[in-house]
């Protein structure tokens, strides 16, 4: 068994060196960065975040007064109203109005302030949702990456199994040629070789499917050359499973999906305050600056207004006809068919729903961490058991191999021992990757970066 796995390690090292010379090698960090950058859901969430950022900015600007300008120029003929003299006349006239208007809401039940705070909470909620989405992409890529590594190791084991059986076939052929073994034993070993070639083909197919799944997670074109680095994985015997309560307490405070649910509650609280503020009177201030001009106006400096001789330039008319106004007003809501109270009641329901969503997110987090922690502990026990199974299967295989060589054992017994050995080795590989997977998830929930 030791010789077999030393050979497997040597083959893996050679394959790793060959892959290291390729420009298409992808390590885990590169895979995660690529997946986040090209993930369409992440891009859509980034657009949503930018949109809520604009809403937040606009809610701040809504606290400022507005300002609008107007300019109107008329050409009249016949009986028209002269805006300069405010008389109806039968004449041709060119006239116009221009001005500036501004309005500022002084108080409206703090609706504008609460709207600004609501939009800020919504922006932070979407930011946390973006982080949560990126975390999901990272965990999915890590899962696919480890699955590909596992299937690569299983394919290597299956390949080595074929190579060992092929060597036995060649040895059996030489023994048959010299008459030391029967042709029936050679046929049995050839049948074993065919069966193990089939298992190797299935292992290679599983490896390529795992590679394709990882490429799909990364949104990478299926025709792109893709080889991953084979990192030096930690020794499963030295892997420590963190305490359940410490993982949960850290995740409860720092995990983005929990923060997102908290900001959703804050957003709904502000929305409720906005609806309640609609009951309040609205106090506002208006400002206006206007003027007008008309070709029918007479220059007030003309010595004989009944027979004017002085020109009255339009720019001078605009200066002379200025009108300024500042006003304060108040609007008091009396009755709007109970619409305000209905909106307040609905806002209260939305707030309760946000609180339920937060409780659900906390419960889901607790259950997930408990499951991951239990799976990690089980994987650790499975790995220890798999190590013992490999050691026992190795002894059984060596014993069956020695019996077969001296002619006291059958090819069927050797095949069964070999199958048991490689089955135990496959179980150990699987349990190793399962243990690494769940401990990495728990580390991730503890705020540690995923590093292989």
């Amino acid at each position: 068994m030791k010789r077999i796995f030393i050979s497997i390690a040597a083959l893996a090292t050679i394959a790793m060196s060959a892959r290291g010379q390729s420009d298409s090698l992808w390590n885990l960090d590169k895979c995660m960065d690529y997946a986040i950058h090209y993930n369409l859901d992440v891009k859509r969430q980034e657009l949503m975040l930018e949109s809520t950022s604009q809403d937040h900015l606009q809610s701040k600007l809504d606290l400022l007064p507005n300002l609008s300008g107007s300019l109107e120029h008329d050409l009249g003929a016949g009986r028209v109203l002269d805006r300069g003299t405010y008389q109806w006349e039968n004449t041709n006239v060119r006239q116009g109005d221009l001005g500036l208007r501004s309005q500022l809401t002084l108080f409206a039940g703090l609706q504008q302030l609460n709207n600004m705070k609501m939009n800020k909470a919504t922006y932070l909620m979407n930011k946390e949702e973006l982080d949560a989405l990126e975390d999901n992409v990272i965990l999915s890529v890590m899962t696919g990456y480890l699955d590909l590594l596992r299937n690569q190791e299983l394919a290597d084991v299956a390949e080595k199994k074929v190579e060992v059986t092929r060597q036995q076939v060649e040895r059996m052929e030489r023994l048959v040629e010299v008459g030391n073994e029967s042709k029936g034993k050679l046929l049995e070993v050839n049948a074993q070789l065919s069966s193990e070639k089939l298992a190797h083909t299935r292992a290679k197919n599983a490896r390529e499917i795992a590679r394709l799944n990882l490429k799909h997670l990364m949104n990478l074109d299926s025709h792109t050359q893709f080889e991953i680095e084979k990192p030096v994985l930690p020794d499963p015997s030295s892997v420590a499973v963190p305490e359940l309560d410490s993982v949960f307490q850290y995740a409860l405070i720092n995990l983005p999906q929990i923060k997102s649910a908290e900001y959703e509650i804050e957003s709904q609280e502000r929305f409720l305050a906005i609806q309640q503020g609609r009951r309040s009177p609205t106090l506002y201030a208006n400002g206006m600056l206007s003027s007008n001009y008309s070709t029918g106006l007479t220059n007030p400096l003309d010595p004989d207004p009944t027979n004017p001789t002085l020109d009255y330039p339009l720019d001078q008319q605009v200066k002379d006809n200025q009108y300024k106004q500042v006003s304060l007003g108040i609007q008091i809501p009396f009755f709007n068919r109970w619409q305000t109270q209905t909106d307040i009641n609905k806002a209260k329901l939305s707030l309760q729903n946000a609180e339920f969503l937060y409780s659900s997110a906390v419960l889901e987090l607790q259950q997930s961490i408990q499951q991951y922690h239990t799976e990690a502990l089980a994987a650790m026990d499975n790995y220890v058991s798999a190590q013992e199974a490999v050691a026992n299967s190795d002894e059984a295989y060596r014993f069956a191999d020695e019996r077969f060589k001296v002619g006291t054992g059958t090819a069927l017994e050797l095949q069964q021992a070999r199958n048991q050995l490689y089955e135990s080795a496959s179980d150990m590989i699987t349990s190793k990757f399962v243990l690494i997977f769940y401990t990495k998830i728990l580390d991730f929930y503890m705020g540690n970066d995923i590093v292989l």
Side-chain angles (χ1 to χ4, degrees), residues 77-194:
R79 186 170 179 78
V80 297
L81 176 63
D82 189 327
R83 296 183 184 179
T85 62
Y86 291 98
Q87 296 179 357
W88 290 93
E89 299 179 0
N90 289 310
T91 183
N92 296 332
V93 65
R94 289 177 294 145
Q95 59 189 0
D97 297 287
L98 67 161
L100 295 173
R101 290 178 177 272
S102 180
Q103 185 179 47
L104 173 63
T105 300
L106 301 176
F107 181 77
L110 301 179
Q111 292 183 65
Q112 291 174 307
L113 180 62
N114 284 314
N115 184 55
M116 182 183 68
K117 293 182 177 180
M118 181 189 71
N119 285 318
K120 180 180 180 180
T122 303
Y123 167 77
L124 294 174
M125 179 188 70
N126 279 274
K127 185 175 182 298
E128 296 297 336
E129 288 180 355
L130 176 60
D131 292 341
L133 188 57
E134 291 180 351
D135 287 350
N136 289 335
V137 173
I138 288 173
L139 293 176
S140 297
V141 171
M142 181 196 72
T143 303
Y145 196 92
L146 288 174
D147 189 53
L148 179 54
L149 286 175
R150 180 181 68 87
N151 280 283
Q152 283 181 341
E153 287 200 17
L154 292 176
D156 291 341
V157 169
E159 182 181 5
K160 185 60 183 176
K161 185 178 179 182
V162 170
E163 180 62 26
V164 171
T165 306
R166 183 179 288 112
Q167 293 173 3
Q168 290 181 344
V169 169
E170 293 173 353
R171 184 174 69 248
M172 185 62 65
E173 287 175 344
R174 291 192 296 268
L175 293 174
V176 171
E177 288 177 0
V178 299
N180 290 338
E181 289 291 349
S182 65
K183 191 174 181 179
K185 284 192 174 183
L186 176 60
L187 294 176
E188 290 178 356
V189 177
N190 272 321
Q192 295 172 18
L193 179 61
S194 299

Side-chain angles (χ1 to χ4, degrees), residues 87 100 193 197 290 365 383 415 437 440:
Q87 296 179 357
L100 295 173
L193 179 61
K197 285 181 178 179
S290 65
L365 173 65
Y383 180 77
Q415 179 187 7
F437 170 73
K440 288 298 179 182

Side-chain angles (χ1 to χ4, degrees), residues 9-48:
L11 289 173
T13 303
I14 293 173
M16 188 175 172
S17 300
R19 287 195 293 267
Q21 297 172 1
S22 172
D23 293 333
S24 60
L25 274 182
W26 293 70
N27 59 22
L28 180 58
D29 286 340
K30 184 177 179 181
C31 290
M32 291 189 298
D33 291 341
Y34 188 95
I36 291 175
H37 184 72
Y38 290 99
N39 186 275
L40 296 180
D41 291 334
V42 171
K43 289 184 176 296
R44 291 179 61 248
Q45 186 62 33
E46 287 174 347
L47 294 178
M48 179 64 70

Side-chain angles (χ1 to χ4, degrees), residues 407-422:
T408 60
T410 65
L412 178 59
E413 292 174 342
L414 180 62
Q415 179 187 7
Q416 291 175 343
R418 186 189 300 114
N419 290 341
Q420 183 61 43
L421 172 60
Y422 283 100

Side-chain angles (χ1 to χ4, degrees), residues 239-264:
V239 171
V241 179
E243 291 292 332
L244 175 62
D245 186 64
S246 60
V247 176
F248 175 70
Q249 293 301 327
Y250 183 91
L252 185 61
I253 298 174
N254 297 279
L255 213 62
Q257 52 262 44
I258 302 301
K259 289 184 177 181
S260 175
E262 291 174 346
Y263 285 126
E264 172 67 13

